[in-house]
């Protein structure tokens, strides 16, 4: 399987850099199987950081290796996904640690919904519908 990482620099050797940013799936190295999504993200990162050049790094991922890892997989953005993402975004997630988390990440369309949910403006049911 080919995975893509969009950034403002080429990343030849992925590293997990723990930072103070709160992300959907917690600290980690984020990739996607969707090249177009990585291309968009590379442009976004270059604009945000005001340096570099939009770059998409590609990796061959051996799916057989996943058998020996702790994996959490979300098939869709359901209630468990919403709670996991918001707990990570609030930096309050205290559940099991996973080597790999697979599932949808919030994009420009879903972030306002998640922000409204975290602020208490809408409930879980409404967030999932939106």
């Amino acid at each position: 399987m080919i995975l893509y990482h969009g950034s403002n620099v080429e990343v030849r050797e992925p590293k997990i850099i723990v930072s103070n940013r709160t992300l959907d799936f917690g600290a980690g190295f984020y990739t996607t199987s969707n090249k177009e999504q990585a291309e968009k993200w590379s442009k976004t990162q270059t604009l945000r950081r005001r340096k570099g050049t939009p770059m998409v790094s590609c990796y061959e991922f051996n799916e057989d290796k996943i058998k020996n890892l702790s994996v959490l997989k979300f098939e869709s953005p359901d209630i468990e996904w919403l709670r996991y993402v918001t707990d990570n975004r609030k930096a309050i997630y205290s559940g099991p640690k996973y080597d790999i988390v697979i599932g949808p990440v919030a994009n420009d369309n879903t972030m306002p919904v998640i922000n409204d949910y975290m602020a208490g403006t809408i409930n879980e049911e409404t967030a999932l519908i939106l």
Side-chain angles (χ1 to χ4, degrees):
M1 166 192 293
I2 301 293
L3 295 176
Y4 305 95
H5 174 78
S7 183
N8 64 324
V9 296
E10 181 182 18
V11 180
R12 291 181 189 213
E13 294 186 28
K15 296 177 190 163
I16 296 175
I17 300 170
V18 179
S19 70
N20 61 353
R21 296 180 353 183
T22 52
L23 304 171
D24 292 357
F25 296 156
F29 187 77
Y30 284 62
T31 61
T32 178
S33 57
N34 183 318
K35 187 175 183 181
E36 183 180 311
Q37 184 181 34
E39 289 169 348
K40 286 180 183 178
W41 187 246
S42 71
K43 293 172 186 170
T44 299
Q45 288 302 300
T46 302
L47 287 172
R48 285 184 185 166
R49 295 175 179 167
R50 298 181 189 171
K51 63 180 181 179
T53 304
M55 299 288 293
V56 174
S57 301
C58 304
Y59 311 98
E60 178 73 38
F61 180 72
N62 183 342
E63 293 178 77
D64 292 335
K65 302 284 183 185
I66 207 167
K67 297 173 189 169
N68 300 324
L69 301 173
S70 174
V71 178
L72 175 61
K73 184 172 185 177
F74 296 101
E75 296 295 336
S76 65
D78 58 16
I79 192 68
E80 285 77 22
W81 174 87
L82 179 63
R83 290 175 183 166
Y84 185 80
V85 167
T86 55
D87 283 357
N88 276 299
R89 288 242 164 216
K90 292 178 181 179
I92 61 170
Y93 177 74
S94 61
K97 301 288 185 197
Y98 297 97
D99 297 313
I100 296 178
V101 179
I102 300 169
V105 293
N107 60 24
D108 292 341
N109 297 325
T110 55
M111 275 316 301
V113 174
I114 289 175
N115 288 337
D116 287 346
Y117 170 69
M118 290 191 314
T121 308
I122 60 175
N123 62 22
E124 286 178 342
E125 182 180 338
T126 302
L128 291 172
I129 291 169
L130 295 173

